[in-house]
Amino acid sequence: MSPADGARSLFASCFGAAPAGVWVAPGRANLMGEHTDYNGGFVLPFALGQVTAVAAAPRADRRLVLCSRQQPGLVVDAALDDLAPGAIPGWGAYPGGVAWALRAAGRKVPGASIAIDSDVPAGAGLSSSAALECATALALTELGGSGLVPRPELAAIARRAENEFVGVPSGIMDQSASLLGRAGHALLLDCRSLESCQVPFDPGSAGARLVLIDTRATHALTGGEYARRRAECEEAARLLGVPSLRAVTDPAVVDRLADPVLRRRARHVVTDDNRVLQVVALLRDPARLSGEGGEVYREIGRLLTQAHESLRDDFEVSWPEADAAVAAAVGAGAFGARMIGGGFGGSVLVLDGPGSRVRTAVSEEFARRGWTAPDFLEAIASDGARRAA
Ligand code: GLA
């Protein structure tokens, strides 16, 4: 059953009626640009085919009542007018936070009954939380008659819900990918100007493919390390006399930082920003894509592995299962691989060529080390959030 059908049938069993509509929003993977978003830099994520679905109908009592197939038996019931950061514990804080942030942005929000289903794995670093926020944001704006809220504005509202209501200091990448993604494209987002454009991205046409490895080491951004990295980047920018690390394009500039930790953090951000632009240039080179398409993906693969080394050694957000998965994938013939997302758990993105043995090699390596078997998902650049048929 698709998440949309799952949400629809859960709605019927929770609320004894049919929903007014079903809205879906995807998780995301990120091709390049990690920990660059909150530094005002570039990111190149894409929306996944895996989605979170929200079946919803307005209610007259100004309450928000939520049930989720992933949280059986746990119904959240909150008064819309009493919503405030800290008011809803647990998973209900994501949809609750969106209702709160929409109202704070002056949008009309009705009371609503909401049933949720999802095939975005939680805790796998694929932005299941952004998917839930964005599907809720679409549902509530449509039910509230707010008309079509511009997607970048909705992304900012969903991010505010996560930052201020849930209390996770994330950047703007995940919500932007979920709301602005387009099938067959990656989204180039300039996190300083918030301008974005679609970059054609179809590895399948060159015989390449993207595989996600959920390393089954769950991550939690609420942990202090993410916030610590943000603070280190801000400190590095301050010492370099720039408003944000985005302003630095020459990696040699970071050598001016006396503190070795800050120097490494800044070097990752500056080189990853550059890698985003290198990948975009490769994808936009029509001569190379039509001729030796495979060679372009080989080069992108090399950049992915470089980015992993930078995240591992300079930014220090990798984790043992990710390092082992990258090494095993590359050893088995993949074009390249890297951890994605905030780090300390979650998934690895592999750019794979034809006929490789990545799956077997990675599974064997995990078994050899006595780790929980990893999950493999096909990553296909898909459309962003929408109302389901
Ligand atoms: C998490 C955050 C994003 C971004 C990534 C790292 O996914 O939610 O905003 O900072 O980590 O690139």
Side-chain angles (χ1 to χ4, degrees), residues 186-255:
L187 179 79
L188 172 61
L189 176 67
D190 177 335
C191 299
R192 184 166 64 185
S193 67
L194 293 182
E195 277 168 11
S196 66
C197 65
Q198 304 287 344
V199 182
F201 175 54
D202 181 14
S205 66
R209 66 193 188 111
L210 283 169
V211 179
L212 283 164
I213 304 172
D214 175 358
T215 65
R216 308 288 299 280
T218 48
H219 81 145
L221 285 188
T222 30
E225 289 296 332
Y226 185 89
R228 182 128 70 92
R229 293 300 180 282
R230 283 194 71 141
E232 287 166 345
C233 290
E234 278 159 27
E235 178 63 1
R238 193 186 66 77
L239 291 169
L240 290 171
V242 292
S244 70
L245 288 178
R246 155 64 182 278
V248 181
T249 51
D250 177 0
V253 168
V254 308
D255 292 338

Side-chain angles (χ1 to χ4, degrees), residues 37-85:
D37 61 353
Y38 56 78
N39 286 299
F42 297 104
V43 290
L44 191 62
F46 57 94
L48 293 170
Q50 289 79 1
V51 298
T52 294
V54 159
R59 16 185 330 136
D61 60 3
R62 298 205 52 71
R63 300 194 74 82
L64 202 59
V65 183
L66 315 163
C67 57
S68 161
R69 206 174 273 280
Q70 281 66 47
Q71 309 282 339
L74 267 183
V75 172
V76 173
D77 184 347
L80 208 50
D81 301 309
D82 297 340
L83 287 179

Side-chain angles (χ1 to χ4, degrees), residues 90-118:
W91 64 276
Y94 294 94
V98 168
W100 169 82
L102 279 168
R103 295 185 75 201
R107 299 287 172 178
K108 237 178 95 200
V109 178
S113 303
I114 289 181
I116 300 156
D117 192 11
S118 180

Side-chain angles (χ1 to χ4, degrees), residues 28 30 33-38 127 162 170-174 221 226 341-342:
R28 65 97 189 93
N30 185 18
E34 221 64 87
H35 289 272
T36 47
D37 61 353
Y38 56 78
S127 295
E162 183 154 337
S170 51
I172 192 69
M173 170 169 73
D174 307 341
L221 285 188
Y226 185 89

Side-chain angles (χ1 to χ4, degrees), residues 206-208 294 297-302 305 329-330 333-337 350-354:
Y297 285 100
R298 261 177 226 283
E299 276 187 47
I300 293 176
R302 280 193 280 274
T305 308
V330 172
F335 294 161
V350 181
L351 185 54
D352 204 3

Side-chain angles (χ1 to χ4, degrees), residues 28 34-35 123-126 212-221 229 308-309 311-313 315-327 338-349 366 369 371-372 374:
R28 65 97 189 93
E34 221 64 87
H35 289 272
L126 302 177
L212 283 164
I213 304 172
D214 175 358
T215 65
R216 308 288 299 280
T218 48
H219 81 145
L221 285 188
R229 293 300 180 282
H308 183 77
E309 287 158 5
L311 286 158
R312 183 191 63 201
D313 303 337
F315 218 65
E316 295 178 279
V317 291
S318 188
W319 63 102
E321 289 86 345
D323 296 338
V326 168
R338 72 172 185 85
M339 58 150 282
I340 60 166
F344 308 106
S347 294
V348 161
L349 180 69
F366 273 49
R369 300 206 190 207
W371 290 336
T372 308

